Amino acid sequence: MATAKTTVTVGLDADPPNLDPVFSSALVDRQVLNQIYDKLLDIDQDLKIVPMLATSWSVGNNGTVYTFKLRQGVKFHDGTDFDAEAVKFNLDRALTAEGSRRKGELAPVKEVQVVDKYTVRVVLKDAFSPFLYVLTDRAGMMVSPAAAKRYGQDLANNPVGTGPFRFVERKRQDRIVLQRNEGYWKRGYPKIDELIYRPFPDDDVRLANLLSGAVTVITPVAPKDLARVRGDANLNLFAFPSLGFQGVWLNVTRPPFNNKALRQAFAATVDRETIDRVVFLGTATPANGPFPPGSPAYDPSIPIPKRDINLARKKLQETGFASGFSFTLLTTPGPVLTQLAQVYQAMAAEAGIRIQIQQVEFGTLLDRTDKKDYEAALLGWSGRPDPDGNIYDFMRCGGPLNNAGYCNPKVDALLNRARATRVMEVRRSLYSEALRIIHEDVPYVYVYHPQVLIGASKRLSGLPLIPDGILRFVGAELK
């Protein structure tokens, strides 16, 4: 007797902008990408690196040569073979494609060599400690070379990987439908037949869909809704520290924030404790930088900046802006972000800084910050297990995620030294030195570290809870 099709519907807080891992820059993309594309490596719940498409690896020549043995018998969703040539194609593509968001992560790669059909060697220019962790995310995702050649830039609308689910269709701002990969290399997996992703930017709408059973799982759960989910006998609430950070980008390439004193003035108005208490109901952690407590790079000797209105006024007076100045703050829709923007607005107003809030769709926000077409923007990062992933591409000159347009050669030198050494104590010291400069220059105001907050039907089981916040459905089951 045929069994009923099992469908899991996932409620997200935004419509994923890009399903090509080379060009993706949003956390919400990764929720879908991780179902379509396998990676060379993955991380487990303890953030340890585990095999995926690479079954083993070795490191030689003082940390500059990595040799990977690949899983055999794996096919892409289009029926083509996964092998060493495919790995070379993918890494080369990520390194050379115009507009690639992976260039920074893979910049240390000098050459990718095919040793034999299932062995690939990656030669680095210099030792690069985070390299294996880089391959646990989008830089390590394998797309079908045949599909990439066929679709070009349109691969984002026709994604083809080797993952547990294959792409079926998408309707922008409505749904993305994935179907079980019947030929998945991990026999017997996945266990559910269909995954549907639906965007619900409004927290209330996302919660209502979970409570009604219209969706199976939502991420994130708004802090104000935690008690509601926790108190529902049909739901589970999962809450755990994330790897990420949130704050405010300040565009240093144009007025008013090409003036460092004005950046310092605005930063001095921010009260992190109040934001945690009022907006996040105590679920966030005030930030002293991009590394959350628990990160090996976290330095408790760097104080969490305190609100200092007198300092803000002093900075304004020093630069001839005693009566204040105004700027536009970009954000995306939703009650939490709206409230957060209004709190920034009220705090800044006490120093005479006037903020106009402008809400735009998430993809538009990413596009405008990429192009430096903004003054200030609420935008953070979901975090990476290696500290390099939380700072390097954001703060180095010309970094692909450096939305501020910030450039300080001293910071570049410190970050380059940090990624070249394997000793974490040394790396932490270098990151701390860089952070003290960044705090003085203020291209970004680090404000808080969010928690991962997931609400799910108790019918759903088998979801590993990994601090990167990505829901991995390969082992999920629905009762």
Side-chain angles (χ1 to χ4, degrees):
M1 186 175 70
T3 57
K5 183 170 76 172
T6 52
T7 298
V8 168
T9 303
V10 186
L12 302 173
D13 59 345
D15 194 36
N18 198 311
L19 298 185
D20 185 333
V22 164
F23 300 104
S24 163
S25 61
L27 165 63
V28 71
D29 289 341
R30 297 163 67 207
Q31 295 288 0
V32 182
L33 293 173
N34 272 272
Q35 322 310 324
I36 299 173
Y37 302 104
D38 285 326
K39 300 162 289 191
L40 290 178
L41 305 168
D42 203 359
I43 53 174
D44 65 13
Q45 288 161 291
D46 298 319
L47 298 180
K48 293 179 180 175
I49 294 171
V50 296
M52 202 172 203
L53 289 177
T55 57
S56 65
W57 55 93
S58 61
V59 186
N61 198 23
N62 295 318
T64 60
V65 177
Y66 288 72
T67 303
F68 298 92
K69 293 291 185 183
L70 305 178
R71 194 174 298 281
Q72 300 185 26
V74 177
K75 288 190 178 294
F76 290 100
H77 301 154
D78 59 6
T80 57
D81 291 335
F82 167 75
D83 55 20
E85 291 286 358
V87 175
K88 177 175 171 56
F89 174 89
N90 273 275
L91 294 178
D92 286 348
R93 176 174 181 259
L95 279 164
T96 59
E98 185 175 353
S100 168
R101 304 305 292 263
R102 309 281 79 83
K103 283 183 181 178
E105 299 162 12
L106 295 172
V109 174
K110 177 182 179 182
E111 184 180 12
V112 183
Q113 302 170 349
V114 174
V115 178
D116 60 39
K117 188 171 178 63
Y118 294 108
T119 307
V120 67
R121 179 182 298 131
V122 181
V123 180
L124 305 183
K125 300 168 187 170
D126 299 293
F128 176 48
S129 294
F131 184 58
L132 291 178
Y133 276 112
V134 165
L135 299 180
T136 67
D137 195 45
R138 286 167 288 197
M141 289 181 178
M142 296 292 111
V143 311
S144 160
K149 293 172 184 173
R150 177 181 179 185
Y151 294 113
Q153 289 280 350
D154 203 34
L155 180 70
N157 296 315
N158 301 275
V160 180
T162 66
F165 295 90
R166 63 173 68 225
F167 176 81
V168 176
E169 64 175 357
R170 88 172 292 175
K171 184 176 181 182
R172 290 277 178 184
Q173 304 300 329
D174 183 59
R175 65 185 58 221
I176 296 170
V177 179
L178 310 182
Q179 188 178 56
R180 168 190 165 94
N181 175 8
E182 297 289 350
Y184 194 53
W185 54 266
K186 190 174 183 180
R187 299 306 174 201
Y189 293 87
K191 295 180 178 297
I192 56 179
D193 298 311
E194 187 177 59
L195 265 178
I196 298 176
Y197 287 88
R198 299 206 61 198
F200 300 111
D202 188 301
D203 298 331
D204 293 337
V205 174
R206 198 163 60 251
L207 176 68
N209 275 273
L210 179 66
L211 295 174
S212 71
V215 303
T216 319
V217 55
I218 64 170
T219 184
V221 178
K224 68 179 180 58
D225 298 327
L226 294 179
R228 190 83 182 274
V229 175
R230 191 181 287 118
D232 191 310
N234 297 314
L235 300 176
N236 281 318
L237 174 68
F238 304 108
F240 48 95
S242 76
L243 302 173
F245 61 83
Q246 294 289 330
V248 187
W249 279 110
L250 303 178
N251 185 350
V252 307
T253 68
R254 56 187 277 186
F257 291 122
N258 57 350
N259 183 324
K260 184 166 84 172
L262 297 186
R263 302 197 298 270
Q264 293 171 327
F266 167 68
T269 69
V270 175
D271 186 335
R272 291 161 177 77
E273 300 288 347
T274 296
I275 287 172
D276 174 40
R277 186 176 66 255
V278 172
V279 180
F280 298 104
L281 308 179
T283 63
T285 301
N288 69 353
F291 312 121
S295 165
Y298 179 75
D299 183 351
S301 74
I302 296 178
I304 296 168
K306 298 293 184 184
R307 187 174 195 236
D308 189 339
I309 287 295
N310 289 332
L311 175 62
R313 290 174 176 146
K314 179 183 175 185
K315 292 293 179 183
L316 293 175
Q317 290 171 352
E318 285 177 357
T319 51
F321 287 86
S323 60
F325 68 101
S326 62
F327 69 89
T328 298
L329 177 64
L330 279 190
T331 184
T332 49
V336 172
L337 288 175
T338 298
Q339 183 187 14
L340 180 59
Q342 290 170 343
V343 170
Y344 286 125
Q345 187 180 50
M347 289 176 171
E350 289 189 44
I353 300 173
R354 300 171 296 280
I355 297 178
Q356 289 83 48
I357 299 170
Q358 182 180 5
Q359 293 187 329
V360 295
E361 186 269 328
F362 186 59
T364 301
L365 178 73
L366 293 179
D367 184 58
R368 289 186 58 180
T369 50
D370 283 348
K371 295 175 179 174
K372 311 293 184 292
D373 179 23
Y374 76 104
E375 293 174 346
L378 299 188
L379 189 61
W381 182 243
S382 53
R384 297 294 180 272
D386 189 279
D388 184 87
N390 273 26
I391 191 168
Y392 188 75
D393 281 341
F394 299 88
M395 290 298 149
R396 71 178 173 88
C397 303
L401 298 173
N402 183 345
N403 293 321
Y406 173 65
C407 184
N408 186 323
K410 292 182 180 177
V411 171
D412 280 15
L414 290 164
L415 297 183
N416 281 322
R417 286 172 58 194
R419 60 174 15 197
T421 182
R422 299 183 186 183
V423 181
M424 186 51 74
E425 288 77 10
V426 177
R427 293 180 69 190
R428 181 168 55 242
S429 175
L430 293 166
Y431 287 133
S432 295
E433 190 175 346
L435 269 181
R436 289 187 174 91
I437 299 172
I438 292 167
H439 280 316
E440 173 68 18
D441 290 344
V442 206
Y444 188 86
V445 184
Y446 296 100
V447 179
Y448 64 95
H449 302 290
Q451 281 196 325
V452 178
L453 301 170
I454 300 165
S457 165
K458 286 187 175 177
R459 296 176 59 218
L460 184 67
S461 63
L463 274 184
L465 303 179
I466 297 178
D468 65 4
I470 304 301
L471 302 178
R472 292 160 169 83
F473 286 96
V474 61
E477 293 186 76
L478 195 64
K479 297 177 184 174

